[in-house]
Amino acid sequence: MARTPSTPRQRRGGALLAGGLAGGLVVGLVVGGLGGWTASHAAARSEAQVTTPATASASPRPVPTYTPVPTSSLGIPASEAPGGSTAPSSLDLATSWTAPLDMPTQGRLLHETIPATTSHFAARQALVYLPPAALTADPPHLPVDVLLSGQSKGAGPNDVQSGGHIEETMDALATVDRGLAPIVVVPDQLGPQSANPMCVDGKLGNSRTYLTKDVPAWITSHLKVQTAASAWTIGGFSQGGTCAIQLGAGDPSRFGNLIDVSGEDGPTLGSEAKTIADGFGGSRAAYLAAQPAALMRANAPYRDTNAFFAVGRLDSTYGPVMPVQAARARAAGMHVATWEVPGDRHNWTTARAALAAGLAWMQSRIGLAPSGD
């Protein structure tokens, strides 16, 4: 018989299990372990169940009537408009937030155009997830997760919905944490042809400037978000994971947290010669400076950066990279957690489970869950 979760972390795991994350592969979160994440945070198959003992005298609770908040022409709640007040750098919403009785039970996923005002990068529409707390009449300023897809033929932001099940993941976290979850933005770092501009600026497109300038500018001008680096997370799968370690290591004043799922050792177009020629204008120095290892050496020590690394245990290509990258991050001062997804390779099954695990691990570190979780 399955036990009823009795602690906040176990209840968070139960919500993830109940949400059926990762298309049958779900993440069980349990108490214990250095940094809150160890091998005991194992993957479980969908036959795992979380049950609540029946109570004979229990009576149905009244369901609050949810009154939708008026929205702007973009579909974003009007109450999310930042207004003229100064946004807080960070908040401990785990202790200060009281969820209104009429808060919706699920978040909202939107498709939005984020202009490339500074970068002039050709980007497709982004996904924007707003958690239940953001859909209330007086929403709090929330942390931000910028998540990126992998790169392959036809790849783009929608993969994080169809393959990554990001809406279900975030709804599950919000269910446990009183409607609180980060606002998630999934921009297009690849461009219309699903190419690989490697999250750097060059003749393949100014992808880095788009992600570090245009995307944050749009977020802060359209949504009520916290401004401190500690409230901003950059994450992704495969090429998106490589971008996450590049930007998290290279721009710690913007992104104080990172989630690297099955990322590469550094930006690449296959061969070093092709990468330097096409991606860095022939400059070997620029190529070397853009490597995560070099970025970490240049910006160390990282006293406040949280970094989550994960990979499929059967991934023979990217699997060996993860422990090396994690060791570099730890040596540079980052607070690091790692996880190998059992039984999977380089695919969206791995990505779904690992992103869910990383996002759950971050909740207490960005002030949305008690620090003891």
Side-chain angles (χ1 to χ4, degrees):
M1 177 181 295
R3 294 186 301 170
T4 301
S6 59
T7 69
R9 180 178 293 162
Q10 290 171 326
R11 290 194 295 272
R12 179 171 295 103
L16 290 170
L17 287 166
L21 296 179
L25 183 67
V26 291
V27 180
L29 305 181
V30 295
V31 176
L34 179 63
W37 192 269
T38 69
S40 63
H41 295 76
R45 292 290 171 182
S46 58
E47 61 264 28
Q49 296 178 349
V50 177
T51 60
T52 303
T55 304
S57 60
S59 58
R61 293 183 180 181
V63 179
T65 300
Y66 168 54
T67 303
V69 175
T71 60
S72 69
S73 59
L74 299 177
I76 299 172
S79 55
E80 271 293 314
S85 59
T86 302
S89 60
S90 62
L91 292 171
D92 182 11
L93 292 172
T95 59
S96 64
W97 164 250
T98 300
L101 294 177
D102 63 348
M103 183 179 66
T105 58
Q106 294 179 309
R108 180 183 302 166
L109 192 69
L110 304 171
H111 290 77
E112 303 288 351
T113 298
I114 299 181
T117 306
T118 301
S119 66
H120 305 292
F121 181 71
R124 292 163 290 181
Q125 280 195 312
L127 301 182
V128 176
Y129 169 85
L130 302 175
L135 305 178
T136 59
D138 185 21
H141 287 79
L142 289 167
V144 177
D145 289 346
V146 177
L147 301 182
L148 306 173
S149 73
Q151 188 269 328
S152 62
K153 184 178 180 180
N158 287 338
D159 290 354
V160 181
Q161 177 187 16
S162 60
H165 295 188
I166 192 62
E167 196 171 5
E168 292 88 344
T169 296
M170 303 313 295
D171 279 349
L173 292 176
T175 295
V176 176
D177 290 320
R178 299 169 298 134
L180 293 172
I183 289 174
V184 176
V185 177
V186 186
D188 178 21
Q189 86 279 15
L190 304 174
Q193 304 305 315
S194 299
N196 184 8
M198 300 183 293
C199 292
V200 299
D201 291 345
K203 70 177 185 180
L204 300 180
N206 295 329
S207 180
R208 185 182 190 280
T209 294
Y210 182 66
L211 295 173
T212 60
K213 301 295 183 184
D214 293 324
V215 171
W218 185 91
I219 292 171
T220 55
S221 63
H222 287 81
L223 301 164
K224 292 180 71 174
V225 298
Q226 300 166 28
T227 60
S230 60
W232 284 62
T233 299
I234 181 75
F237 166 58
S238 192
Q239 190 265 7
T242 312
C243 291
I245 183 62
Q246 287 173 237
L247 299 182
D251 196 1
S253 64
R254 165 56 65 191
F255 299 109
N257 311 291
L258 67 94
I259 299 173
D260 178 354
V261 177
S262 306
E264 300 159 293
D265 193 57
T268 179
L269 296 175
S271 71
E272 183 175 291
K274 180 176 176 58
T275 302
I276 293 172
D278 294 349
F280 294 89
S283 173
R284 180 174 174 79
Y287 164 76
L288 293 174
Q291 301 304 307
L295 293 168
M296 283 187 267
R297 286 195 299 269
N299 290 288
Y302 298 84
R303 293 186 172 87
D304 301 311
T305 295
N306 297 301
F308 185 91
F309 296 88
V311 72
R313 185 169 293 168
L314 303 181
D315 185 345
S316 59
T317 301
Y318 300 95
V321 175
M322 188 273 278
V324 174
Q325 207 76 281
R328 291 169 179 158
R330 190 176 288 110
M334 297 184 189
H335 307 292
V336 174
T338 64
W339 187 42
E340 289 185 345
V341 181
D344 272 303
R345 303 178 186 275
H346 193 78
N347 53 41
W348 273 105
T349 302
T350 292
R352 287 194 295 269
L355 286 173
L359 293 165
W361 183 76
M362 287 291 179
Q363 283 286 93
S364 64
R365 289 158 179 79
I366 56 176
L368 298 185
S371 59
D373 281 12

